[in-house]
């Protein structure tokens, strides 16, 4: 995303919306989020805050990608599993839930399922937090990572830590960790994107999937200490 910002800016008109369908969490996540990190810009996903400055939070529409797919060639994608892009209505999915949005959402050739809280839903990010790096480290497909007793135990531990952090910033994860892993296993011998990036020599999404969680945790601890030390 940081490398694509300038190209995106050139496409923006006064009413252009940006659907932030990305791995990890989007640049606008803490805009009017309501926790002690409200308004924070995360260096791991938005270096220098360029996305926030140049794209702005007002244009954004939240979206969580459910499909699993493989990139066969430039512009050619093979669909593997699932067929929905979870998003809210434009009003509900905008950062801060701002009202009065008149931007249209047109149905194309995918299913779009209304999820009023999807803009603040970290369930997919917490799943990626463990599945992506473990797949890259072991060179194992998704079904093996989710079912092997050793890797599954590590996944469950990482997801439990992710859930604790989510609760600290006021986000309730509705998906049970075991069910999340069972769903991943059902996809079958699919290579997760971080493993494909490793094999093809492309940059891996370590910062937006893994480092960002550490940054949120550090930021939360810092803000809590700061607020505690302020004069009453």
């Amino acid at each position: 995303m940081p490398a694509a910002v300038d190209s995106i800016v050139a496409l923006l008109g006064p009413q252009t919306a940006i659907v932030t369908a990305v791995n990890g969490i989007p640049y606008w996540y803490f805009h009017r989020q309501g926790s002690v990190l409200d308004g924070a810009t995360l260096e791991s996903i938005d270096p220098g805050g360029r996305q926030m400055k140049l794209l702005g939070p007002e244009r954004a529409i939240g979206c969580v990608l459910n499909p699993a797919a493989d990139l066969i060639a430039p512009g050619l994608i093979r669909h593997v599993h699932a067929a929905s892009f979870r998003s809210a209505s434009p009003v509900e999915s905008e950062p801060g839930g701002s009202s009065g949005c008149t931007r249209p959402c047109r149905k194309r050739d995918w299913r779009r399922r209304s999820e009023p809280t999807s803009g603040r839903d970290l369930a997919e990010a917490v799943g990626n937090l463990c599945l992506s790096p473990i797949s890259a480290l072991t060179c194992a497909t998704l079904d093996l990572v989710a079912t092997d007793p050793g890797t599954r135990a590590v996944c469950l531990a990482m997801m439990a830590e992710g859930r604790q952090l989510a609760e600290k910033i006021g986000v309730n994860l509705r998906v049970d960790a075991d069910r999340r892993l069972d769903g991943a296993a059902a996809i079958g011998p699919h290579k997760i994107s971080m493993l494909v990036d490793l094999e093809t020599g492309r940059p891996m999404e370590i910062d937006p999937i893994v480092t960002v969680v550490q940054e949120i945790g550090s930021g939360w601890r810092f803000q809590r200490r700061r607020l505690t030390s302020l004069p009453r």
Side-chain angles (χ1 to χ4, degrees):
M1 275 301 303
V5 172
D6 291 333
S7 298
I8 294 172
V9 169
L11 301 174
L12 299 179
Q15 300 299 319
T16 306
I18 299 173
V19 181
T20 51
V22 295
N23 278 337
I25 65 174
Y27 68 90
W28 52 260
Y29 190 82
F30 286 103
H31 177 68
R32 301 180 187 173
Q33 191 261 344
S35 74
V36 294
L37 293 180
D38 202 324
T41 299
L42 302 175
E43 190 69 17
S44 52
I45 57 174
D46 188 14
R50 294 189 75 243
Q51 293 177 67
M52 185 65 81
K53 296 172 187 174
L54 297 178
L55 305 182
E58 298 81 7
R59 297 179 179 274
I61 294 178
C63 180
V64 179
L65 297 174
N66 277 22
D70 293 323
L71 180 65
I72 306 302
L76 181 61
I77 298 172
R78 180 176 61 205
H79 175 243
V80 177
H81 179 79
S84 66
F85 290 62
R86 285 194 297 136
S87 64
S89 68
V91 172
E92 291 169 326
S93 64
E94 285 180 331
S98 56
S99 61
C101 177
T102 59
R103 294 177 298 191
C105 284
R106 297 184 177 89
K107 185 176 181 180
R108 301 301 188 191
D109 55 352
W110 60 73
R111 291 204 324 273
R112 179 182 167 277
R113 189 171 63 196
S114 177
E115 292 277 348
T117 59
S118 65
R120 305 298 185 194
D121 190 353
L122 286 176
E124 193 70 18
V126 170
N128 284 337
L129 167 67
C130 60
L131 293 171
S132 292
I134 292 176
S135 177
L137 286 167
T138 60
C139 296
T141 52
L142 195 54
D143 56 334
L144 295 177
V145 173
T147 57
D148 176 85
T151 54
R152 186 179 178 99
V154 176
C155 284
L156 289 172
M158 293 178 71
M159 292 176 78
E161 188 171 344
R163 179 182 292 273
Q164 290 176 354
L165 179 57
E167 291 173 350
K168 297 292 186 183
I169 60 173
V171 178
N172 179 32
L173 299 186
R174 297 166 294 171
V175 179
D176 176 78
D178 279 297
R179 286 182 58 193
R180 175 72 175 84
L181 293 179
D182 290 343
I187 296 175
H190 174 67
K191 289 187 178 181
I192 207 163
S193 59
M194 188 176 286
L195 175 57
V196 175
D197 290 340
L198 174 67
E199 293 179 339
T200 56
R202 292 196 298 259
M204 293 185 290
E205 297 173 301
I206 295 173
D207 283 342
I209 292 178
V210 180
T211 310
V212 68
V213 179
Q214 183 183 42
E215 186 177 359
I216 291 173
S218 298
W220 180 84
R221 287 191 295 271
F222 172 78
Q223 290 292 354
R224 291 296 296 178
R225 287 196 300 269
R226 185 183 69 84
L227 293 173
T228 302
S229 63
L230 288 176
R232 299 295 180 182

